[in-house]
Amino acid sequence: MMNTPLTVNSMIERAESYFPKKEVVSRTSSGIHRLSYKQIGARTRSLASALEKLGVKKGDKVGTLAWNDHRHLEAYFAVPSMGAVLHTINIRLSAEHLSYIINHAEDKVLMVDAGLMPLLENIKDKLSSVEAIVVMTDEDDLPASSLQPLYSYEDLLAGGDEKYSFSNKIEEEDPAGICYTSGTTGKPKGVLYSHRGLVLHSMALCLSDTAGVSESDVCLPVVPMFHANAWGTPFAATWVGATQVLPGPYPTPQLLAELIESTKVTITAGVPTIWLGLLNELEKKSYNTDSLRAVLCGGSAAPKGMIRAFESKYGIPFIHAYGMTETTPLVILSRLKSYQQNLPEEEKLEIRSKQGTAVPGIEIKVVNDNGEAKWDGQEMGELLVRGPWIADSYYKDERSADAFRDGWLHTGDVVTIDEEGFIKIVDRTKDLIKSGGEWISSVDLENALMAHESVFEAAVVAVPDPKWQERPVACVVLKEGYKDTVSQEDLLQFLAPQFAKWWLPDQVLFIEEIPKTSVGKFLKMALREQVKERLTIQS
Amino acid sequence: MMNTPLTVNSMIERAESYFPKKEVVSRTSSGIHRLSYKQIGARTRSLASALEKLGVKKGDKVGTLAWNDHRHLEAYFAVPSMGAVLHTINIRLSAEHLSYIINHAEDKVLMVDAGLMPLLENIKDKLSSVEAIVVMTDEDDLPASSLQPLYSYEDLLAGGDEKYSFSNKIEEEDPAGICYTSGTTGKPKGVLYSHRGLVLHSMALCLSDTAGVSESDVCLPVVPMFHANAWGTPFAATWVGATQVLPGPYPTPQLLAELIESTKVTITAGVPTIWLGLLNELEKKSYNTDSLRAVLCGGSAAPKGMIRAFESKYGIPFIHAYGMTETTPLVILSRLKSYQQNLPEEEKLEIRSKQGTAVPGIEIKVVNDNGEAKWDGQEMGELLVRGPWIADSYYKDERSADAFRDGWLHTGDVVTIDEEGFIKIVDRTKDLIKSGGEWISSVDLENALMAHESVFEAAVVAVPDPKWQERPVACVVLKEGYKDTVSQEDLLQFLAPQFAKWWLPDQVLFIEEIPKTSVGKFLKMALREQVKERLTIQS
């Protein structure tokens, strides 16, 4: 067979050829813009030629500090298609981590949204590799800034070559992108994405049995483009010529609901926190969401109650998925098998609230001290993942040896796998609660708590216990209107029929907010500290 | 990223893990058999271990002479998954070509349906490489035969190891299969399929925007498994855990209609001749075909009237596709774009009767003496194809240089491409009619003729002409009941409003049957000879 490589440029070229009229709806700080793929293609080529003039060569890193908009999309394709490496920078990192990853990746050029320039100004003296900064702005004039040398994105494009030929010297194993995991401890770790991995991942996203991204879709990635390739949706959607809706800076639940209604979004993707916000918005005000065929939810486990609310209350199909920065990210997705469709509704909900089965192309394995866990939905083990879009190491990082062993990525997630192959996340290896020699799943307790009508969010952490080693404590944020009406006893009574007695939390603490990571996951480490302080004050 | 290879064994392993209960419905000479993927998986492993005992090693060729049934499916996976190469032999080849390809491929073992043994007995003295022959039979006893040494498939399986581990020494570029094109001239040419090509092709078949093969499908490949991998459906369907219906020896239109009704087939694939037969059957007798979501049609162009009949008369969605043995085969498929859905019905039919657009992963180009043809639906040129599941040469064959040039496969098909990128086959380069310095498309005339209510099949060929160089002559097979009721003048009057005057055939010859290749395509060369004879007799 021909050895034609799987490369990112083939995806934008396909959109240019077959879908020049289809559109990208992009919200920036100045409002909504609509660009056709013909325009996006020409602008992408201009950008690549301009970056080349700025000195960017094959293998160089180009960083972006940007929200989800058309310029970020153009960078997604321009940088890899010229053989360089797109470094999507998480704008929610601390100043220390920001400068660390820019220096560690050795970014040569940074592209930054005008509104995010303060993040860079703050750390400019610490940056060791950056030679040029490009401001992604709609304004004609560059904002005043201490950053140097500063270029205007649109000026560069105006001087670029919209017929620029993408590199034909790219091997499919060449790096196309890099993203750093926003870990809860230590310095962020970099993950390199190959051209091959990104293309195969796009194919995986477009399969009928996964997200089935299609030309007829209107695709709204709420998950940021600086987080694990926005789950690959910008690549996949461009490749098949889907309409894309990029929601821009600080998307609020109201904004998302309005975009879903006005642009007839068919598929959207984000973390549970986003969907909790959207649910609240839908309860406050009426929106037409009939166009939605799938809400893709990942990043952390969605409570069953949320899935039920979306589906039975609003008729919006909800698809649970699982992935990590290290996995491009899609590896597991929850779709009922055909013969499961006839099960009673509650059983189906039970299955669909699991993370799902490995998508085609990916292998998984659940291991514990006894070897591979039984497929019984009971035995816990760590999830191991393998496949062509799974990282094989962290970029120039000694910590690789922990996670990448024997050809498998060790995810650090504790899961069960049932007889049908459905994976359920039980906990992070580090967040499991070990009480009297037995494991208690904080995630199970959290999901059960969040199914209570009064609970907005709930997190369960371990506290040291002289007798049992560790005991669970629940931290609960109540919904507005329920404050002071619900007690610890109410919630414990609610949990009691669902769990063994020794699983029940020793205490329920009512708090104002659960600390979260920059990508919206519960920051258990910080929460454990808070809980420790409160319990110390109490005692 | 991890360098996990794309290999065929991963597809059957996925079916074993996730879909052990799903079934393959297999018709053999003894009737209908139902096997689960768990059984198919175990039998596939047993077969691989038995072939290993017979001496089959990595890279060895194992030939099959078989209809579409579960044993052939097992061979599809067992042979590549042990690192050997599956040679699917076209049972309709002449004795001379049969022995040529078995010797040319150097098949070490042949697996043959009991009913097809005479094909081998006929040529046994000419075979130079074959060391063992395995009879695929339901019977307990081997049939009497002059073939030696002879083994029973089921006996081999009974002595095999159903826990056999597939090879982990396969690189994705390694050959997994070989198939010879049944060309109309010269010796057949071999095409090697790599593991990588077959896996990527399976992904392409399962995309929402192509055939969208899914776990919920019931997939009936009518296209033989000895012809271009049955268009890849056995691989794709197994990979996603779809139910498969394999129709066995000599499938008649009645049998197919019955299978569609009884097994609730959702997607089926075959050449126009098959669908013409099925249409006739549906007109004769009433069947429930509600389950069908797609009839995939390729091999040669489907007349517009056939598409209309399937869709408007029977409500069966019809999908036109294009490929060749050299292309695994899927490269082009006809799906309306979302914004074409609102066009008038006739315009949509017009678009959908074209072959379609290149599927994701494949590049095409239409070239003629002036360079690349304009995307105007008018300018003709030869179709060139490139991509990771396109062959780069014929197996050990000097004729490779004709078809494979400058990194592209030159298909020999003359096409137009319209502004939306839809390819329409105009003719084979060799079948175009050159009249007065201008080209006439035989395919266009054929399709127009076949839209006439009286016409069962029509083929148009060139005859030499002293004045115009070549002129078209139409050969028409009338439907039963129309014989002697329709004249040449009737048909020419029917064509007149649709074509320039000089395109109209000089003569319409009514014949009993159009000669066809072993895969059901019109054999224009033979037809030209017949026409020449008849015209000589007439003059």
Side-chain angles (χ1 to χ4, degrees), chain B residues 219-532:
Chain B
C219 185
L220 167 66
V222 185
V223 49
M225 289 170 75
F226 52 75
H227 177 216
N229 309 307
W231 301 355
T233 56
F235 292 119
T238 301
W239 194 42
V240 299
T243 302
Q244 289 181 73
V245 181
L246 303 174
Y250 307 102
T252 61
Q254 185 191 341
L255 177 89
L256 294 175
E258 286 169 3
L259 278 176
I260 289 168
E261 180 174 280
S262 65
T263 65
K264 298 194 167 56
V265 168
T266 61
I267 180 167
T268 178
V271 294
T273 314
I274 295 290
W275 305 134
L276 209 53
L278 183 64
L279 269 185
N280 277 343
E281 181 63 25
L282 296 181
E283 281 179 32
K284 275 196 282 184
K285 198 180 150 192
S286 165
Y287 294 89
N288 184 344
T289 58
D290 291 350
S291 57
L292 272 177
R293 70 164 182 85
V295 166
L296 220 58
C297 182
S300 52
K304 213 194 296 183
M306 187 194 289
I307 303 179
R308 187 188 284 118
F310 266 99
E311 303 210 331
S312 52
K313 197 158 174 188
Y314 298 101
I316 301 174
F318 196 89
I319 301 180
H320 222 173
Y322 168 89
M324 307 166 73
T325 304
E326 290 86 337
T327 65
T328 305
L330 180 65
V331 292
I332 289 173
L333 184 137
S334 198
R335 282 258 197 198
L336 292 179
K337 297 179 186 177
S338 49
Y339 53 84
Q340 294 175 321
Q341 299 286 358
N342 302 325
L343 293 173
E345 285 304 320
E346 272 306 300
E347 262 181 74
K348 287 200 276 190
L349 184 61
E350 188 66 41
I351 298 169
R352 301 191 39 249
S353 70
K354 299 184 178 185
Q355 273 61 41
T357 56
V359 299
I362 291 294
E363 289 171 273
I364 59 100
K365 179 155 99 162
V366 179
V367 299
N368 55 34
D369 293 344
N370 306 320
E372 279 200 48
K374 277 195 289 294
W375 286 34
D376 62 0
Q378 298 292 328
E379 191 176 337
M380 295 180 191
E382 186 180 6
L383 177 66
L384 273 54
V385 179
R386 179 163 77 179
W389 55 90
I390 311 298
D392 61 359
S393 63
Y394 293 116
Y395 181 62
K396 296 185 180 173
D397 200 309
E398 288 178 356
R399 291 168 294 177
S400 294
D402 281 350
F404 304 95
R405 279 177 278 140
D406 315 319
W408 293 83
L409 165 64
H410 294 243
T411 64
D413 281 316
V414 179
V415 305
T416 59
I417 183 166
D418 69 18
E419 35 297 318
E420 295 288 348
F422 280 70
I423 292 282
K424 184 183 173 195
I425 302 285
V426 175
D427 227 322
R428 292 289 299 166
T429 44
K430 290 166 193 145
D431 294 337
L432 269 179
I433 299 154
K434 195 143 197 182
S435 174
E438 297 285 347
W439 277 353
I440 295 173
S441 161
S442 63
V443 174
D444 278 0
L445 289 169
E446 287 160 6
N447 284 340
L449 280 166
M450 286 195 272
H452 190 275
E453 57 170 2
S454 71
V455 176
F456 179 67
E457 284 183 329
V460 175
V461 293
V463 293
D465 185 277
K467 183 170 175 193
W468 302 108
Q469 183 182 1
E470 288 183 348
R471 288 295 300 151
V473 165
C475 301
V476 168
V477 181
L478 291 174
K479 287 181 186 163
E480 282 186 43
Y482 283 97
K483 305 223 162 130
D484 303 320
T485 70
V486 177
S487 69
Q488 165 167 307
E489 284 64 41
D490 294 336
L491 294 179
L492 290 178
Q493 269 176 27
F494 176 72
L495 292 181
Q498 305 178 54
F499 296 98
K501 202 171 168 205
W502 58 273
W503 271 54
L504 296 183
D506 282 4
Q507 284 207 47
V508 177
L509 303 177
F510 294 99
I511 63 178
E512 286 303 309
E513 194 184 1
I514 293 172
K516 299 200 183 67
T517 69
S518 59
V519 296
K521 295 188 195 187
F522 291 164
L523 197 52
K524 291 266 174 105
M525 205 174 46
L527 189 62
R528 273 193 289 270
E529 289 305 309
Q530 281 187 21
V531 169
K532 217 161 89 184

Side-chain angles (χ1 to χ4, degrees), chain A residues 12 15-16 19-28 31-41 43-44 67-77 217-221 225 233-248 259 263:
Chain A
I12 180 75
E16 287 179 291
F19 311 107
K21 302 174 198 166
K22 294 291 300 287
E23 282 187 335
V24 174
V25 181
S26 169
R27 176 178 164 267
T28 68
I32 299 280
H33 306 256
R34 285 177 174 269
L35 292 94
S36 69
Y37 278 119
K38 183 175 177 182
Q39 291 171 298
I40 295 280
R43 288 168 55 87
T44 297
W67 295 96
N68 294 11
D69 70 12
H70 63 287
R71 293 192 184 90
H72 208 171
L73 183 69
E74 288 153 11
Y76 256 56
F77 287 99
D217 272 321
V218 178
C219 185
L220 167 66
M225 289 171 75
T233 57
F235 292 119
T238 301
W239 194 43
V240 299
T243 302
Q244 288 181 72
V245 181
L246 303 175
L259 278 176
T263 65

Side-chain angles (χ1 to χ4, degrees), chain A residues 18 21 209 215 337 420, chain B residues 18 21 209 215 337 420:
Chain A
Y18 290 107
K21 302 174 198 166
D209 284 345
E215 185 273 329
K337 298 179 186 177
E420 295 289 349
Chain B
Y18 290 108
K21 303 174 197 166
D209 285 345
E215 184 273 330
K337 297 179 186 177
E420 295 288 348

Side-chain angles (χ1 to χ4, degrees), chain A residues 87 96-107 123-130 180 395:
Chain A
H87 176 196
E96 186 198 341
H97 283 177
L98 267 185
S99 59
Y100 170 78
I101 69 170
I102 293 170
N103 291 336
H104 187 266
E106 299 178 76
D107 290 336
I123 57 170
K124 71 179 163 51
D125 296 334
K126 295 192 178 136
L127 303 183
S128 54
S129 59
V130 177
Y180 283 73
Y395 180 62

Side-chain angles (χ1 to χ4, degrees), chain A residues 4-312:
Chain A
T4 43
L6 305 171
T7 55
V8 166
N9 54 305
S10 67
M11 298 198 271
I12 180 75
E13 283 165 355
R14 189 165 190 275
E16 287 179 291
S17 292
Y18 290 107
F19 311 107
K21 302 174 198 166
K22 294 291 300 287
E23 282 187 335
V24 174
V25 181
S26 169
R27 176 178 164 267
T28 68
S29 54
S30 72
I32 299 280
H33 306 256
R34 285 177 174 269
L35 292 94
S36 69
Y37 278 119
K38 183 175 177 182
Q39 291 171 298
I40 295 280
R43 288 168 55 87
T44 297
R45 290 173 189 272
S46 296
L47 174 59
S49 76
L51 290 171
E52 197 172 87
K53 279 188 218 160
L54 284 180
V56 174
K57 294 191 178 56
K58 187 165 188 239
D60 284 345
K61 311 284 190 309
V62 175
T64 54
L65 272 145
W67 295 96
N68 294 11
D69 70 12
H70 63 287
R71 293 192 184 90
H72 208 171
L73 183 69
E74 288 153 11
Y76 256 56
F77 287 99
V79 176
S81 297
M82 62 188 295
V85 182
L86 181 79
H87 176 196
T88 51
I89 300 169
N90 185 342
I91 62 173
R92 299 199 187 104
L93 291 182
S94 66
E96 186 198 341
H97 283 177
L98 267 185
S99 59
Y100 170 78
I101 69 170
I102 293 170
N103 291 336
H104 187 266
E106 299 178 76
D107 290 336
K108 192 167 189 176
V109 173
L110 291 179
M111 300 171 62
V112 56
D113 280 357
L116 298 172
M117 288 168 72
L119 294 177
L120 284 187
E121 286 160 351
N122 199 18
I123 57 170
K124 71 179 163 51
D125 296 334
K126 295 192 178 136
L127 303 183
S128 54
S129 59
V130 177
E131 295 176 10
I133 292 169
V134 179
V135 183
M136 299 159 104
T137 172
D138 298 326
E139 308 299 324
D140 286 338
D141 298 321
L142 277 180
S145 171
S146 59
L147 297 168
Q148 289 299 333
L150 209 57
Y151 299 87
S152 152
Y153 186 97
E154 294 298 330
D155 281 355
L156 287 178
L157 255 58
D161 173 10
E162 64 178 40
K163 295 192 185 309
Y164 175 86
S165 287
F166 294 133
S167 171
N168 56 8
K169 301 222 177 346
I170 300 171
E171 307 285 335
E172 66 181 35
E173 296 81 7
D174 285 343
I178 184 169
C179 186
Y180 283 73
T181 63
S182 44
T184 49
T185 53
K187 297 261 196 274
K189 291 173 276 192
V191 175
L192 276 182
Y193 302 110
S194 66
H195 281 265
R196 170 184 163 98
L198 292 175
V199 172
L200 289 174
H201 185 267
S202 299
M203 289 192 107
L205 266 179
C206 298
L207 299 172
S208 280
D209 284 345
T210 64
V213 178
S214 154
E215 185 273 329
S216 59
D217 272 321
V218 178
C219 185
L220 167 66
V222 185
V223 48
M225 289 171 75
F226 52 76
H227 177 215
N229 310 306
W231 301 354
T233 57
F235 292 119
T238 301
W239 194 43
V240 299
T243 302
Q244 288 181 72
V245 181
L246 303 175
Y250 306 103
T252 61
Q254 185 191 342
L255 177 89
L256 294 175
E258 285 169 2
L259 278 176
I260 289 167
E261 180 174 279
S262 65
T263 65
K264 295 193 168 57
V265 168
T266 61
I267 180 166
T268 179
V271 294
T273 313
I274 296 290
W275 306 134
L276 209 53
L278 183 65
L279 269 185
N280 276 345
E281 180 65 25
L282 297 181
E283 282 180 30
K284 275 197 284 185
K285 198 180 150 191
S286 164
Y287 294 89
N288 184 343
T289 58
D290 291 351
S291 57
L292 271 176
R293 70 163 182 85
V295 166
L296 220 59
C297 182
S300 53
K304 213 194 294 181
M306 188 195 289
I307 304 179
R308 187 189 283 119
F310 266 100
E311 303 210 329
S312 53

